[in-house]
Amino acid sequence: MRKDFLWGGATAANQCEGGYKEGNRGMGSVDVIPWGENRFPVMLGEMDYRQLPEDSYYPSREAIDMYHHYKEDIALFAEMGFKCYRFSFSWSRIFPTGEEEQPNEEGLKFYEDFIDELLKYNIEPVVTICHFDVPLALVEKYGSWKSRRLIDCYVKYCDAIFRRFKDKVKYWLTFNEINMLLHLPFMGAGLQFKEGENKTQVKYQAAHNELVASAKATRLAHQINPDFKIGCMLAAGNYYPYSCNPEDVWEALNRDRDNYFFIDVQARGEYPAYARKMFEREGIVLETEEEDFRILKEHTVDFLSFSYYSSRCASTDQELINKTTAGNAMKSVKNPYLKASEWGWQIDPLGLRITMNTLYDRYQKPLFIVENGLGAIDRVAEDGSICDDYRIEYLKAHIEAMMDAVDVDGVDLLGYTPWGCIDLVSASTGEMSKRYGFIYVDKDDAGRGTLKRSRKKSFDWYKQVIETNGEILK
Ligand code: BG6
């Protein structure tokens, strides 16, 4: 492993920051996604959040209140020896409605203090510019990324943060899990559908707008500071064919392409032939401008970041398709060779090595694993200790696979930031009980708890992993 390998952890504003009304912040799209049975219909863009019952609970609004606890949290990250920390800015903290002339100084100042706290411990900030949340005003006025207007709003936001943090932040990710907009359109991109609307058309138009925004942000970033490193971000995990039946192999290839589509554009700079043909077949006509394609071509990303929780599996056998398993928003046929987490996400460390090799072969740009981990129920013992051996086991196996990809296969990897290094709100379920952290946060699914932080067994384990640059994993 390289000496400067970026070991760290990852979170997102909408799942841990809270303080949703503080410092002149505007409402964001994720602030209106409730916990409970209405969560999925809202995340899919099929239920209007304005019709939710009045007593709905919105877990993102307070989350783990990192807004007020960040000094304590960063001190704990430093104690584990983090070399980097991936987190996101809340767009509506900086542009409350997305369209102000000037950024909100209180928002910028909050992130400046936050970043200074990281730098105090020599922790490299890795900033996700947009981790799902869009200013709600832009959703209501323009239908979010359906409209090209969002490109200008996003670039203005980037301009403000790139200039302000020019000398403090080097690594930026333009959109978290950009492919998520196909699977959870409101969660991923603030998209809601009207009756009769062609959803595929809407989603690919939004995708085009985000891709152009990402390329424009990349251009701007390199103008403002040529040393900036800009990354795209994919919800990754290869599709395996369920069998060697060519029909299954073909199905798996096409499922993978749905996801690679985004990265093909961001890393190679062009719409792939298979996507152009698919648009023709489906009657999708994108609203584009001539310069879009030049910008996409000339401003590709510097590196590729991705999340990996599990591999996926594809089949054409209807009986198997009916038995899909849970996973990171993408449906997958259940793989009989793999065990699963308490939430049904299948566990496949070798799949990480396979995914890394596939991405590196395909794009030949440095990779960065910015999410990986096990969502599990933790039990606090009477003495307050939390013995999360299952988490250690999961992470150990994935780190081994990651190191094989680097040391044996030669993949160029910048760093590894396990997801939810401190417990936070689950994106898919809105629960607190689906915990990923090395640090426990006392809060339950309904929002009750003291918010007290405590170290789990995995805390000391991960500290040693970092200290030894991955040499000691036991
Ligand atoms: C990714 C997201 O999809 O997976 C995170 O980028 C999310 O925001 C993570 O939290 C884990 O998913 P979940 O549903 O267990 O929180």
Side-chain angles (χ1 to χ4, degrees):
M1 301 298 283
R2 56 206 293 169
K3 290 258 166 328
D4 58 351
F5 189 74
L6 291 169
W7 296 97
T11 62
N14 78 78
Q15 289 165 263
C16 67
E17 195 174 280
Y20 81 111
K21 278 191 169 160
E22 304 215 30
N24 283 327
R25 181 183 179 279
M27 288 292 278
S29 51
V30 183
D31 299 333
V32 296
I33 302 182
W35 173 56
E37 59 182 14
N38 292 324
R39 188 170 181 87
F40 253 87
V42 173
M43 290 200 296
L44 287 168
E46 283 165 5
M47 179 175 190
D48 192 331
Y49 57 88
R50 284 165 289 208
Q51 277 141 30
L52 289 167
E54 262 183 39
D55 59 353
S56 299
Y57 166 57
Y58 301 94
S60 277
R61 295 184 182 186
E62 183 197 53
I64 59 160
D65 194 27
M66 198 183 255
Y67 189 77
H68 295 107
H69 289 74
Y70 73 88
K71 290 196 176 165
E72 178 189 349
D73 295 341
I74 291 172
L76 287 164
F77 300 154
E79 194 183 321
M80 273 187 280
F82 277 21
K83 310 281 183 219
C84 76
Y85 173 53
R86 172 189 175 223
F87 62 105
S88 74
F89 288 173
S90 152
W91 184 349
S92 59
R93 195 174 283 298
I94 295 175
F95 285 96
T97 67
E99 291 194 291
E100 289 77 4
E101 285 282 307
Q102 295 300 324
N104 170 31
E105 178 52 33
E106 271 192 80
L108 285 174
K109 180 76 175 71
F110 168 71
Y111 289 119
E112 183 152 72
D113 293 344
F114 194 103
I115 289 167
D116 286 344
E117 196 66 19
L118 290 169
L119 296 176
K120 182 171 114 186
Y121 296 104
N122 291 320
I123 299 175
E124 176 91 50
V126 177
V127 175
T128 314
I129 299 168
C130 179
H131 191 122
F132 297 153
D133 51 334
V134 178
L136 196 61
L138 295 180
V139 173
E140 294 183 346
K141 200 162 163 194
Y142 301 110
S144 188
W145 285 99
K146 283 181 187 177
S147 162
R148 282 189 73 95
R149 170 79 187 121
L150 270 273
I151 301 175
D152 295 338
C153 298
Y154 178 86
V155 173
K156 185 168 63 168
Y157 163 44
C158 288
D159 187 73
I161 57 180
F162 290 163
R163 286 183 200 284
R164 180 66 164 245
F165 303 115
K166 182 172 166 283
D167 302 314
K168 298 189 180 198
V169 177
K170 177 174 169 191
Y171 295 97
W172 303 88
L173 313 181
T174 53
F175 290 96
N176 178 63
E177 297 192 334
I178 188 162
N179 49 327
M180 200 52 83
L181 83 73
L182 296 180
H183 308 281
L184 292 174
F186 186 74
M187 171 62 117
L191 303 177
Q192 292 180 298
F193 302 103
K194 298 195 194 96
E195 246 189 67
E197 209 167 21
N198 177 342
K199 287 189 188 167
T200 317
Q201 163 79 36
V202 169
K203 288 195 257 185
Y204 280 101
Q205 182 64 56
H208 178 78
N209 296 340
E210 283 198 2
L211 290 166
V212 172
S214 176
K216 284 192 169 179
T218 306
R219 174 174 68 181
L220 179 67
H222 291 145
Q223 282 163 358
I224 292 177
N225 184 347
D227 292 334
F228 276 173
K229 296 287 175 217
I230 309 299
C232 53
M233 201 300 199
L234 172 76
N238 282 35
Y239 271 98
Y240 301 155
Y242 187 84
S243 75
C244 52
N245 178 343
E247 298 283 338
D248 284 358
V249 178
W250 181 239
E251 180 68 18
L253 183 142
N254 280 308
R255 292 296 194 95
D256 273 337
R257 279 179 167 176
D258 287 346
N259 295 318
Y260 292 147
F261 158 73
F262 294 86
I263 311 304
D264 284 353
V265 179
Q266 289 176 294
R268 293 167 160 171
E270 272 173 16
Y271 270 65
Y274 63 81
R276 283 188 267 116
K277 285 287 180 193
M278 185 270 285
F279 292 165
E280 264 173 47
R281 272 195 313 276
E282 303 268 327
I284 296 171
V285 182
L286 297 181
E287 182 199 343
T288 61
E289 286 177 9
E290 225 180 285
E291 66 150 22
D292 290 357
F293 299 98
R294 187 179 48 77
I295 293 171
L296 290 174
K297 184 75 200 162
E298 289 174 4
H299 304 284
T300 56
V301 290
D302 300 308
F303 68 94
L304 247 115
S305 76
F306 65 96
S307 60
Y308 176 86
Y309 294 92
S310 184
S311 55
R312 300 160 182 143
C313 199
S315 167
T316 46
D317 178 338
Q318 198 50 50
E319 239 179 81
L320 291 169
I321 296 174
N322 293 341
K323 286 191 221 134
T324 53
T325 179
N328 197 4
M330 273 155 253
K331 285 235 171 348
S332 164
V333 169
K334 198 166 179 178
N335 184 332
Y337 297 98
L338 303 175
K339 294 197 184 118
S341 77
E342 288 156 303
W343 272 264
W345 294 26
Q346 293 199 289
I347 300 172
D348 181 11
L350 183 55
L352 173 59
R353 183 173 175 186
I354 294 169
T355 298
M356 289 172 71
N357 274 278
T358 310
L359 292 175
Y360 196 57
D361 284 352
R362 193 172 176 108
Y363 301 110
Q364 293 167 358
K365 297 206 181 207
L367 304 183
F368 200 151
I369 303 173
V370 295
E371 287 186 33
N372 173 235
L374 179 73
I377 293 176
D378 291 327
R379 287 178 184 81
V380 186
E382 268 184 28
D383 64 356
S385 62
I386 299 145
C387 185
D388 55 344
D389 286 319
Y390 36 88
R391 182 167 295 109
I392 296 176
E393 195 190 321
Y394 176 101
L395 292 171
K396 176 179 179 288
H398 284 77
I399 293 174
E400 274 165 357
M402 164 184 100
M403 291 174 80
D404 283 344
V406 174
D407 297 333
V408 182
D409 310 329
V411 170
D412 184 7
L413 183 68
L414 298 170
Y416 176 70
T417 59
W419 177 249
C421 47
I422 179 165
D423 291 346
L424 39 62
V425 174
S426 156
S428 58
T429 68
E431 294 164 311
M432 272 304 297
S433 50
K434 191 179 187 193
R435 298 174 182 275
Y436 287 86
F438 305 112
I439 301 164
Y440 186 89
V441 178
D442 177 35
K443 186 167 181 180
D444 70 11
D445 291 343
R448 294 164 302 217
T450 61
L451 294 172
K452 182 176 170 286
R453 276 67 168 150
S454 42
R455 297 165 187 79
K456 302 182 195 175
K457 184 175 175 187
S458 56
F459 184 99
D460 290 322
W461 171 81
Y462 192 47
K463 182 173 180 214
Q464 180 172 264
V465 172
I466 298 177
E467 237 165 44
T468 61
N469 202 20
E471 290 282 308
I472 300 181
L473 292 174
K474 61 175 188 329

